[in-house]
Amino acid sequence: MCGIIGYTGQREASEVILEALRRLEYRGYDSAGIVIMNPELTLHKRKGELAEMQRTLPQINGHVGIGHTRWATCGKPSNENAHPFLDCHGRIALVHNGIIENYMALKEKLQNEGHVFTSQTDTEVIVHLIEKHDKGDLHQAVRAAVAEIKGTYAIACIEKGSGQIIAARKENPLVLGLGIDENFVASDVTAILSYTNRVKYVMDGETVVITPEKVTIYGPDGEMVERSSQTVTWSAEDAQKGGFPHFMLKEIFEEPQAIHNSLLGALDVIENGEILPNVQFGSIKIIACGTSYHAAMVGKYALEELAKIPVTVELASEYRYSPGAKEFPLVVLISQSGETADTLAAAREAKRRGCKTLGITNVIGSTITREVDEVFYTRAGPEIGVAATKTYLTQLIALYIIAIRIGYARRNLSHDAMWNELSKLRAMPGAVQSVLDKAFDVEAAVDMLVPARDVFYIGRNINYPTMLEGALKLKEISYIHAEGFAAGELKHGPLALLDSTTPVVAVALTKDHTYDKMMANISEVAARDSPVLAIGCEDDKELPQVADLVLRVPCVDPLYSPVVVTVVLQLIAYYVALKRGCSIDKPKNLAKSVTVE
Ligand code: F6R
């Protein structure tokens, strides 16, 4: 959600912090702020995008500082509610990501004790609590303060006259970057990649003392924790736009490579059981949020087809509070960030219920990897655009690989059949590339959607969730109301809403067994005067007779068609948003990593 950065070393801290905040801006962007120690604490913060804070920033020299980019959860976006916060005497400064649940009670108590508050945020209570407990040792004061907090947090704080940063974490990501005579703390590794790729992840309940010379991690019991560093393989360039106007477009064009990378080692997973060596479970439950939930829905079709195993799909936010039947499915949790609060809570709940858990994530070392029994990493590389694109496609690839693995291990797929499925998957990077080669067709076709207030997306079978995802992408970045429907459901209600002002995006693929039914559904909507933008196979001659415009995809096996159809849908959303002049990489009210409930 919010982005946190802290620096202590030899460089100008403000330069490092601004550079890191630029990279973190996708996590939150309704306000931003910075504090530099020199030796007073000099604070500057502003409502609005980072550029606004930077434009008004005076020259502040100093080698220690913290910065923050905010996605409001408690208290509206404003100068006062922007982070960092200072204590009453301007001696301690703090930035926070997360939610403090008992902040009202704490605030009242602190106010009665004479603390003066300047914002409506939950965060401000933390800095006052630290001030209250500070007897000359900031680390101990932070430990005492977080012991009183109920909720979730990643925090970093500094104090007047000191070169150290104190950080702490509970259920919000925090990573330490290790340099020579300099060290960093950040909510996301992309913030510090320009300076170092040597990192240590902070775990729940830990606190950290960071000086230019070293980082010292303390466990919840106050004992020092030894942890070796990891090397991140992403480069800073991987997180740049590379000549594309937006991260989203760049990331869509990286999809062939992302799929290719995610398929590396697939044979080991499938044949040698590198993932799921033991397939002794009678059913599978897949749990996720948002786009990852749509991947889960596609995964259900793939697993039931290839592994002949019953699959249920649940939203993480629902599963975690559900009563829980007496069943022990394999629970698969999908989260590209590995930090989504609801999905993490669902992982814990699944374990509490005695289920074996498998996580699918794109971020090495993310929190989910520590919550599950086994991890399958997608290899999409860093995704900066808020709308998930390449990570979604690699989640589909991961689910296909897992489906083939389970199908093969349960002998539903012979060795030859397994190879056959794998070769279809290996054809996906090429198929996606051929869709991308025709991106200009999509750009021209979207004119019929640009002025719309509402757009319907319809599909059947495995492309029903694909259309849900298409609709989500459109509403997320173009702010057009879009709904996805199983095409067979139209006549049970939604058809009443259709007329010439409501365009319909439909998918009908000749090889699919639902093709005829889809053609009938498209005729139904066309009869209500709805303009139809259809996605069909390259060889289809009938579709242009019922649809106003047809965008073509390669004729792949229908089971794998969500991969190519999704690319068209992502491009549709992108070009509609572009033509409507929307802020594509930073849509309003959304954040890349949803670390609050
Ligand atoms: C949509 C989008 C969100 C995420 C959702 C889950 O483009 O990005 O719907 O899919 O917040 O995020 P992860 O996969 O990180 O758990």
Side-chain angles (χ1 to χ4, degrees), residues 448-522:
M448 67 194 278
L449 305 182
V450 173
R453 201 193 64 165
D454 310 287
V455 177
F456 276 26
Y457 281 68
I458 58 170
R460 280 177 181 258
N461 199 252
I462 199 164
N463 278 315
Y464 156 48
T466 308
M467 298 316 262
L468 294 181
E469 174 58 10
L472 177 64
K473 283 292 91 92
L474 189 75
K475 63 185 133 191
E476 235 180 319
I477 59 164
S478 75
Y479 316 136
I480 295 176
H481 168 239
E483 289 297 328
F485 295 102
E489 281 296 294
L490 281 185
K491 58 176 84 61
H492 299 291
L495 213 48
L497 293 171
L498 289 182
D499 60 25
S500 62
T501 64
T502 310
V504 175
V505 181
V507 57
L509 304 174
T510 39
K511 280 192 184 172
D512 193 299
H513 63 290
T514 64
Y515 177 73
D516 290 342
K517 300 285 172 213
M518 274 309 305
M519 291 296 275
N521 293 132
I522 294 173

Side-chain angles (χ1 to χ4, degrees), residues 289-292 334-338 340 343 386-388 395 472-473 476 592 594:
C289 303
T291 287
S292 298
I334 312 177
S335 173
Q336 70 79 20
S337 63
T340 299
T343 312
V386 164
Q395 287 171 348
L472 177 64
K473 283 292 91 92
E476 235 180 319
K592 183 73 186 160
V594 185

Side-chain angles (χ1 to χ4, degrees), residues 5-327:
I5 175 71
Y7 174 77
T8 178
Q10 318 307 318
R11 304 175 200 246
E12 279 301 339
S14 61
E15 285 169 19
V16 176
I17 290 168
L18 285 175
E19 161 74 11
L21 289 180
R22 265 194 294 279
R23 294 177 189 276
L24 284 174
E25 215 191 352
Y26 70 98
R27 292 181 71 97
Y29 32 79
D30 58 43
S31 53
I34 184 170
V35 162
I36 302 293
M37 202 276 297
N38 60 349
E40 299 297 320
L41 296 181
T42 309
L43 169 69
H44 183 74
K45 53 188 189 175
R46 277 291 179 280
K47 178 184 169 194
E49 294 200 357
L50 176 62
E52 180 53 22
M53 190 275 273
Q54 198 173 349
R55 195 183 59 77
T56 50
L57 183 68
Q59 173 84 22
I60 320 175
N61 298 104
H63 304 290
V64 187
I66 51 177
H68 190 268
T69 172
R70 179 171 187 249
W71 187 86
T73 51
C74 180
K76 63 180 188 332
S78 67
N79 287 348
E80 296 71 37
N81 291 339
H83 301 212
F85 289 101
L86 298 180
D87 69 336
C88 295
H89 300 96
R91 285 187 308 106
I92 303 167
L94 172 123
V95 288
H96 165 230
N97 183 8
I99 288 185
I100 306 305
E101 285 162 12
N102 59 339
Y103 87 96
M104 296 242 234
L106 289 172
K107 186 169 177 174
E108 199 180 321
K109 204 164 144 215
L110 287 159
Q111 279 172 325
N112 290 338
E113 290 166 10
H115 291 261
V116 178
F117 283 74
T118 56
S119 78
Q120 291 87 50
T121 65
D122 52 346
T123 299
E124 201 181 355
V125 298
I126 313 174
V127 77
H128 289 284
L129 271 180
I130 297 172
E131 177 183 27
K132 173 179 163 179
H133 290 290
D134 189 15
K135 310 272 183 298
D137 181 339
L138 188 62
H139 179 223
Q140 288 314 321
V142 169
R143 290 184 61 80
V146 296
E148 287 193 48
I149 288 171
K150 284 202 186 76
T152 62
Y153 54 82
I155 57 173
C157 64
I158 58 174
E159 68 184 327
K160 187 172 147 182
S162 160
Q164 66 177 6
I165 305 171
I166 309 295
R169 151 186 178 140
K170 186 175 168 234
E171 292 173 34
N172 271 264
L174 206 55
V175 62
L176 306 169
L178 313 177
I180 296 165
D181 291 333
E182 61 179 356
N183 286 307
F184 307 77
V185 60
S187 48
D188 188 322
V189 77
T190 52
I192 52 179
L193 278 178
S194 327
Y195 304 101
T196 181
N197 62 357
R198 274 198 315 130
V199 301
K200 288 185 184 186
Y201 287 95
V202 184
M203 309 291 167
D204 274 350
E206 290 180 344
T207 52
V208 194
V209 178
I210 305 152
T211 65
E213 296 76 32
K214 62 176 182 180
V215 299
T216 316
I217 303 175
Y218 296 86
D221 52 5
E223 292 292 309
M224 234 162 27
V225 175
E226 287 300 329
R227 180 161 307 136
S228 41
S229 61
Q230 300 181 29
T231 303
V232 177
T233 50
W234 298 349
S235 70
E237 289 66 45
D238 288 337
Q240 301 290 309
K241 280 191 206 147
F244 285 88
H246 297 98
F247 280 112
M248 182 177 175
L249 192 63
K250 175 189 176 239
E251 286 157 4
I252 293 173
F253 273 81
E254 284 170 346
E255 286 174 339
Q257 187 63 50
I259 296 172
H260 172 82
N261 292 348
S262 297
L263 278 165
L264 295 172
L267 192 60
D268 277 338
V269 170
I270 294 166
E271 215 170 15
N272 305 331
E274 210 172 69
I275 303 276
L276 297 174
N278 177 355
V279 290
Q280 303 302 317
F281 39 81
S283 64
I284 298 176
K285 186 182 281 296
I286 318 180
I287 299 174
C289 303
T291 287
S292 298
Y293 176 72
H294 297 149
M297 289 176 78
V298 174
K300 172 182 161 71
Y301 289 87
L303 279 153
E304 292 190 342
E305 172 73 27
L306 296 168
K308 295 284 179 264
I309 190 163
V311 180
T312 52
V313 177
E314 226 169 307
L315 289 164
S317 53
E318 289 298 315
Y319 175 81
R320 59 183 294 192
Y321 297 116
S322 66
K326 274 212 160 125
E327 48 158 10

